[in-house]
Amino acid sequence: ALEAFDPRIRREETLRQMFRLPVLARIQSQTGSAGPLAPRDVTPAVHEDFRMLKASLGVHAHAAGRRSFLITGAGPDEGKSTTALNLAAALAGEGAEVIVLEADVRRPSLGAALKLRRGKGVVKVLLGDVTVVDALTTFPQLPPNLRGLLVDQHSAHVANTPIMSRFDDILDE
């Protein structure tokens, strides 16, 4: 009875019936982890799954123009950060210049997954205290062409302010 009222999609077949969209890749689940998995933490099979996703998106390192991808989901702990990090690493591994923008100021997790302390980051950029270029960070053990703009402080207060409308400006910059 509970499954009948649960709005979550649990099977690929249901997804295909509801939306009639192609499945770009299947990412194997790795259980037993708390928080997002950095590329160093996933199995070789999962690395390959992310390379397949990159290929399915039709992204090539030498393609002209800027491309942006939004990774989102309905709730916490669905793998959004893991997907963003590992897709970015797959793109960077091919030579693309990649910037991961962490936008969840309520529950940031990328810094912890990468074992980085937050210094200058997205909140300081939104407040106008630093530029995007000054706030970008490289990630140890990942290609130097993969950089990130991580959340440097988290709070619900920041998420509910007008500065959040500046995210478009950050993407342009």
Side-chain angles (χ1 to χ4, degrees):
L2 289 175
E3 277 188 36
F5 293 105
D6 188 349
R8 291 178 286 188
I9 298 171
R10 298 193 184 275
R11 293 181 185 84
E12 182 178 320
E13 173 186 314
T14 307
L15 179 69
R16 288 179 188 266
Q17 289 172 353
M18 290 177 68
F19 296 104
R20 295 189 179 141
L21 295 172
V23 173
L24 299 179
R26 289 171 191 86
I27 309 297
Q28 298 175 41
S29 176
Q30 284 191 215
T31 58
S33 65
L37 297 172
R40 70 177 178 275
D41 300 325
V42 299
T43 66
V46 173
H47 272 292
E48 182 59 27
D49 291 343
F50 282 107
R51 284 192 290 272
M52 292 298 295
L53 175 58
K54 175 194 62 73
S56 294
L57 290 170
V59 178
H60 302 285
H62 305 291
R66 177 181 74 178
R67 294 188 184 217
S68 299
F69 298 99
L70 173 68
I71 310 295
T72 189
D77 302 320
E78 292 180 336
K80 299 175 291 290
S81 297
T82 296
T83 299
L85 277 176
N86 286 279
L87 178 58
L91 291 165
E94 191 179 282
E97 291 290 328
V98 180
I99 296 174
V100 175
L101 170 61
E102 182 174 38
D104 188 348
V105 295
R106 288 185 178 102
R107 294 185 56 199
S109 59
L110 295 182
L114 295 165
K115 299 183 182 358
L116 292 175
R117 290 187 53 211
R118 297 175 197 101
K120 300 173 191 170
V122 72
V123 174
K124 285 189 172 97
V125 171
L126 288 168
L127 292 170
D129 295 343
V130 296
T131 66
V132 170
V133 173
D134 289 337
L136 288 175
T137 186
T138 56
F139 304 128
Q141 303 174 348
L142 293 175
N145 53 320
L146 171 56
R147 296 174 292 160
L149 182 58
L150 304 180
V151 172
D152 45 328
Q153 55 185 324
H154 61 280
S155 76
H157 170 71
V158 173
N160 295 325
T161 64
I163 62 171
M164 296 306 284
S165 64
R166 291 213 45 234
F167 264 102
D168 285 341
D169 298 335
I170 290 175
L171 289 175
D172 289 340
E173 191 175 334

